[in-house]
Every structure is written in structure tokens, then in C-alpha cells.
């Protein structure tokens, strides 16, 4: 019976939305997501968008939604493709509840991610002499508090919650990328950013454990992207020393080293969590490896523009990502066909790039243990 319903759901999706959507191959019944702009489906737009007004209008959203939804992308994010793969609606931003006086039904999931969010709080940076303006103060801890506040509306008794969360997928991240972006973009050295790694990992592990203690059983914890391939950081670190660049993909090696260090420590942290919580399924998602596929072989993945240049932004600079002209701001231009670019606005990836990463996760090739080998019944 259940199988029949799934087939019908999957079939009607195919008919209505054709090949634009990812096929349903997973069967979670709700998704809870924590993170930053890589997975924010609208919270930043609702809460703090004064520091980044361009997000309110196209070209943000132009490829898929035809309007700005608050996603830092031309279209869908990785989490949107994950929702599609489960036959679920796009994950509703938690702050919609505030906007609509708590009349939103979150039983199919809630998205707590906020663009600009860091794993560590404001004082962490301040104590380290970094006087940057954070885009938002909605850290991972705040997002966890939001989840705790929402939980009583999802399930009441312990057995009821157990039953409900058994079929829920928790995404803890990507988060932490901004903990490095803030110092790096404030012209700190990469050594300085690297010193933050253990603190970022501690926070992610702490919040992941807290979620398990709240009842989460299946959690996907993504690592960092290859930030050495990020247009805005490449622009910022522009260096004439060719040996600092990877000869395969022209990405900046010291920055990718930070991402790799972060990912290695994260994987170790997750291993200790697996021992502590053997009942939980803790999945590491390799965003780095999945993205590296197209950075290493761009043409194979359709990125015939320049895979390291931003589609939307200023035309000056090597990577179309000089901070003086921001995507959607004065003097900015948008490339003709965003699907031939991996980088959207200097910082974020295009829908096309997100789709490739998501496909790698859904197929199980870049998730460990595999995301698609679940016995959800
Ligand atoms: C966006 O516009 C295109 C072209 O008009 C249309 O085919 C598509 O369905 C729209 N997408 C959404 C999500 O409304
Ligand atoms: C919000 O909901 C509360 C409780 O249901 C109600 O008393 C209040 O009038 C509502 N406020 C608005 C602005 O709708
Ligand atoms: C974040 O918190 C700090 C310290 O309380 C404050 O100065 C800053 O304005 C806040 N930023 C935002 C975007 O709310
Ligand atoms: C997370 O860290 C806080 C503050 O250090 C601590 O009180 C809490 O017990 C930790 N939570 C878990 C689940 O480890």
C-alpha cells in the first residue's frame, strides 16, 4: 500500500514538473535544516536583510522561482533538491511563523538556516580582535533554540516524538564557512582563519549531539565546500605566486587546505558521536568532493563559462567578484546562461552547481554512510 502511494506521488511529480525536478528516491517525511546562506530558504529575508538589500529582488531567484525568495542563488539550493528527492515541499523558513503569527504548519519540516550565520557567536570573534559586522546573529545555538521552541508543536509524548523523528531527516549545515569568511574577507591571514577550525568543529558537534538528545535519529552533517575555488576569496587573495594555485583547477591551495582540515576534524568528531549514540544514523556529506568534480572537470558538467568566475557581479577583476560591485547592486551584470557557471554571485553557487552537489548526495556517492540506504518504514 505504502509503495503504491509512493509510486503515484513520484509519478505525478514527473508528469507535472517533468525533468526539472529531482526524482523521488528518498522517503523521509520531514526535514529540519540548520545552517547559513547555503541552505537559507528565506529566514534572512524575513529577519535581517538590511545589510544585503540586493537579496530582495532579481536576479536572485531568476532561474527557477522567477522572484526573490531570499535564497542566495539564481534558483534552487541543495536542500531544495533534497526536499524534491523526498517528495516533500521546499523546507519552510522558521521565521515565517513569526510573520504569520504562528499559523504555519511545520510538520513536514522547518528550516532554521539564516544567511550569514556562524557556528560561533559574536563574542568569539570580538574576543579574537575581529571587529566585523556579522550579517546576522542567528548562530547555530540560536537555531537550536528555535527548534526546541518549535518541537512541542510537532509531537507531544515521548513515543509520539520517537515515531515522528524516526522519519525525519536533520541537516546540520553546511555551517562554519562564515566563521572563516568573516576573518578572510576582513583581510586576516589564512593562518588566522585556520586557528578557528577546532572551535567551529566543537560547536557543530555540540549542536549535533544536542539534536540527538532532542530526538533526531538521522542526521546529515555536511563539511565545507572547497573555499579556495570561491570567486570572492580568489579575488581577495589574488596572488602572483602560481605555486599557491592548484594546477588542475586553478583554485587557491591554502584556502582549500582550511576546508580539508575542517572536514577531517569534522569526520573525526562525527566518529566519536557515532560511538556515543549508536542508535543514531550520523551521515557525513562530502560537499568538498562533490563540488570538486566540476571544479576539476568543468566542461564535463556543462560549466562552459568560467567555472571560477561569478555569473552575477562586477565585470572588473579576474573573477567578476570585486567587493565594490555586488550582484544585484549598481554596475552589476548577470551572465546570459547561469547554468554554464558554477559560481552565482561571487560567494554562492548557481542552481546548476547545487544540483550537481545534491545529486552526489542523493545517489549516496558523497554521503557516508549512504543517504539512500535507509530503512524508513
Ligand atoms: C518561472 O517562469 C517560467 C517561464 O515563465 C515557468 O515555466 C516556470 O514554471 C516558473 N517557475 C515557477 C516556480 O513559478
Ligand atoms: C496572534 O495570535 C494570537 C493568539 O491566537 C491572537 O491573540 C493575536 O490577536 C494574533 N495577532 C495577530 C496580529 O494576528
Ligand atoms: C549582533 O550582536 C552584536 C552584539 O550584541 C551587535 O552589536 C550587532 O549589531 C548584532 N548584529 C546584528 C546583525 O543583529
Ligand atoms: C553543548 O555545550 C554547552 C555549553 O558548553 C553544554 O552546556 C552542553 O551540555 C553541550 N551539549 C551537549 C549535548 O554536549
Amino acid at each position: 500500500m505504502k509503495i503504491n502511494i509512493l509510486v503515484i506521488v513520484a509519478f505525478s511529480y514527473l508528469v507535472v514538473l517533468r525533468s526539472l525536478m529531482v526524482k523521488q528516491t528518498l522517503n523521509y517525511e520531514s526535514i529540519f535544516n540548520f545552517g547559513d546562506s547555503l541552505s537559507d530558504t528565506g529566514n534572512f529575508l524575513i529577519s535581517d536583510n538590511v545589510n544585503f538589500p540586493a537579496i530582495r529582488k532579481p536576479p536572485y531567484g531568476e532561474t527557477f522561482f522567477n522572484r526573490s525568495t531570499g535564497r542566495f542563488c539564481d534558483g534552487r539550493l541543495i536542500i531544495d533538491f533534497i526536499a524534491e528527492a523526498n517528495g516533500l515541499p521546499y523546507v519552510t523558513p522558521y521565521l515565517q511563523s513569526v510573520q504569520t503569527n504562528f499559523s504555519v504548519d511545520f510538520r513536514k519540516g522547518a528550516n532554521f538556516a539564516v544567511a550569514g550565520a556562524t557556528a560561533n557567536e559574536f563574542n568569539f570573534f570580538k574576543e579574537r580582535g575581529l571587529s566585523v559586522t556579522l550579517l546576522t546573529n542567528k548562530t547555530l545555538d540560536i537555531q537550536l533554540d528555535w527548534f526546541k521552541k518549535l518541537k512541542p508543536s510537532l509531537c507531544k509524548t515521548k513515543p509520539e516524538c520517537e515515531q515522528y523523528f524516526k522519519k525525519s531527516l536533520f541537516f546540520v549545515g553546511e555551517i562554519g564557512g562564515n566563521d572563516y569568511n568573516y576573518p578572510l574577507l576582513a583581510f586576516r591571514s589564512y593562518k588566522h582563519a585556520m586557528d578557528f577550525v577546532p572551535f567551529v568543529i566543537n560547536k557543530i558537534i555540540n549542536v549535533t549531539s544536542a539534536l540527538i538528545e532532542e530526538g533526531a535519529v538521522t542526521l546529515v552533517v555536511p563539511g565545507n565546500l572547497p573555499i579556495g575555488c570561491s570567486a570572492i576569496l580568489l579575488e581577495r587573495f589574488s596572488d602572483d605566486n602560481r605555486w599557491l594555485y592548484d594546477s588542475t583547477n586553478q583554485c587557491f591551495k591554502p584556502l582549500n587546505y582550511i576546508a580539508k582540515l575542517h572536514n577531517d576534524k569534522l569526520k573525526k568528531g562525527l566518529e566519536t558521536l557515532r560511538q556515543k549514540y549508536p542508535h543514531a544514523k550520523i551521515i557525513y556529506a562530502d560537499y568538498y568532493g562533490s563540488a570538486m568534480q566540476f571544479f576539476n572537470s568543468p566542461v564535463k558538467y556543462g560549466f562552459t563559462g568560467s567555472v571560477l568566475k561569478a555569473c552575477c557581479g562586477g565585470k572588473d577583476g579576474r573573477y567578476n567578484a570585486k567587493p565594490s560591485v555586488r550582484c544585484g547592486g549598481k554596475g552589476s551584470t548577470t551572465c546570459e546562461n547561469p547554468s554554464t557557471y558554477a559560481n552565482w554571485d561571487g560567494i554562492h553557487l548557481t542552481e546548476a552547481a547545487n544540483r550537481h552537489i545534491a545529486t552526489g548526495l542523493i545517489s549516496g556517492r558523497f554521503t557516508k554512510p549512504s543517504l539512500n540506504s535507509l530503512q524508513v518504514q
Side-chain angles (χ1 to χ4, degrees):
M1 192 58 195
K2 171 131 200 198
I3 288 174
N4 281 340
I5 291 167
L6 286 179
V7 169
I8 292 162
V9 169
F11 182 70
S12 50
Y13 259 99
L14 288 178
V15 169
V16 176
L17 293 147
R18 282 162 295 151
S19 62
L20 268 178
M21 295 184 80
V22 168
K23 235 195 304 184
Q24 188 187 342
T25 54
L26 303 174
N27 51 7
Y28 288 96
E29 293 175 8
S30 58
I31 297 175
F32 296 93
N33 182 72
F34 302 80
D36 55 26
S37 55
L38 296 195
S39 61
D40 180 358
T41 52
N43 287 316
F44 179 79
L45 185 68
I46 296 168
S47 68
D48 309 290
N49 70 68
V50 279
N51 285 325
F52 206 107
I55 190 63
R56 291 180 212 157
K57 50 186 190 346
Y60 283 95
E62 68 167 25
T63 299
F64 185 77
F65 297 100
N66 304 323
R67 65 187 175 90
S68 158
T69 58
R71 286 169 177 80
F72 279 76
C73 187
D74 58 314
R76 285 163 288 182
L77 306 174
I78 296 169
I79 196 71
D80 294 318
F81 291 114
I82 301 290
E84 288 180 6
N86 284 284
L88 287 169
Y90 299 125
V91 191
T92 310
Y94 171 72
L95 291 180
Q96 264 186 22
S97 60
V98 178
Q99 230 181 11
T100 59
N101 202 14
F102 297 92
S103 64
V104 185
D105 181 355
F106 287 108
R107 272 170 303 181
K108 287 188 175 169
N111 192 349
F112 305 97
V114 185
T118 46
N120 290 291
E121 57 172 24
F122 182 78
N123 280 336
F124 171 87
F125 301 98
K126 205 176 150 201
E127 282 160 15
R128 283 157 185 81
L130 200 68
S131 57
V132 290
T133 308
L134 302 181
L135 274 178
T136 180
N137 283 332
K138 308 296 189 294
T139 59
L140 195 49
D141 281 333
I142 302 273
Q143 297 178 24
L144 171 66
D145 286 345
W146 286 347
F147 172 73
K148 289 182 183 166
K149 216 166 117 194
L150 181 68
K151 197 174 136 186
S153 74
L154 302 169
C155 58
K156 301 269 185 282
T157 63
K158 195 156 190 264
E160 194 196 330
C161 287
E162 256 170 38
Q163 222 27 52
Y164 176 77
F165 288 128
K166 222 163 77 179
K167 297 169 188 166
S168 302
L169 185 60
F170 283 74
F171 256 77
V172 191
E174 176 280 333
I175 182 80
N178 287 326
D179 294 61
Y180 312 124
N181 282 336
Y182 285 116
L184 292 171
L185 293 171
F187 290 90
R188 294 304 175 102
S189 67
Y190 42 78
K191 171 76 180 61
H192 187 102
M194 204 181 301
D195 291 342
F196 291 180
V197 171
F199 300 96
V200 173
I201 300 303
N202 272 348
K203 189 59 89 177
I204 298 174
I205 296 298
N206 178 275
V207 169
T208 306
S209 342
L211 285 170
I212 297 170
E213 290 182 4
E214 289 294 324
V217 272
T218 306
L219 305 97
V220 178
V221 187
N224 204 343
L225 286 165
I227 57 173
C229 310
S230 149
I232 194 162
L233 290 172
L234 280 164
E235 199 87 69
R236 140 83 177 90
F237 281 90
S238 264
D239 200 301
D240 291 328
N241 287 318
R242 292 317 297 170
W243 59 271
L244 289 172
Y245 293 84
D246 188 316
S247 57
T248 309
N249 46 46
Q250 310 311 317
C251 298
F252 194 65
K253 286 195 283 189
L255 294 179
N256 276 347
Y257 180 76
I258 299 179
K260 281 195 234 175
L261 186 70
H262 170 102
N263 294 345
D264 285 345
K265 287 206 186 300
L266 179 59
K267 281 188 269 186
K268 288 206 182 86
L270 295 180
E271 195 43 55
T272 60
L273 285 190
R274 288 185 191 109
Q275 276 153 24
K276 188 166 169 204
Y277 305 103
H279 75 285
K281 177 153 186 168
I282 303 169
I283 301 169
Y284 172 71
D286 182 9
Y287 281 20
Y288 189 104
S290 197
M292 231 9 154
Q293 295 184 101
F294 58 73
F295 284 118
N296 282 338
S297 318
V299 175
K300 186 173 157 198
Y301 291 88
F303 299 120
T304 50
S306 168
V307 77
L308 297 180
K309 275 191 188 173
C311 161
C312 179
K315 276 270 173 254
D316 55 344
R318 273 191 212 169
Y319 304 97
N320 296 354
K322 280 258 160 85
S324 49
V325 181
R326 280 289 165 80
C327 173
K330 213 171 170 209
S332 122
T333 58
T334 307
C335 67
E336 189 103 340
N337 188 354
S339 73
T340 62
Y341 282 73
N343 191 300
W344 167 241
D345 61 358
I347 308 174
H348 307 99
L349 298 172
T350 56
E351 170 176 292
N354 287 332
R355 177 194 284 274
H356 287 304
I357 296 175
T359 304
L361 307 184
I362 295 160
S363 72
R365 272 185 307 136
F366 290 93
T367 45
K368 217 171 162 188
S370 167
L371 181 57
N372 68 357
S373 64
L374 293 155
Q375 311 88 29
V376 181
Q377 281 314 324

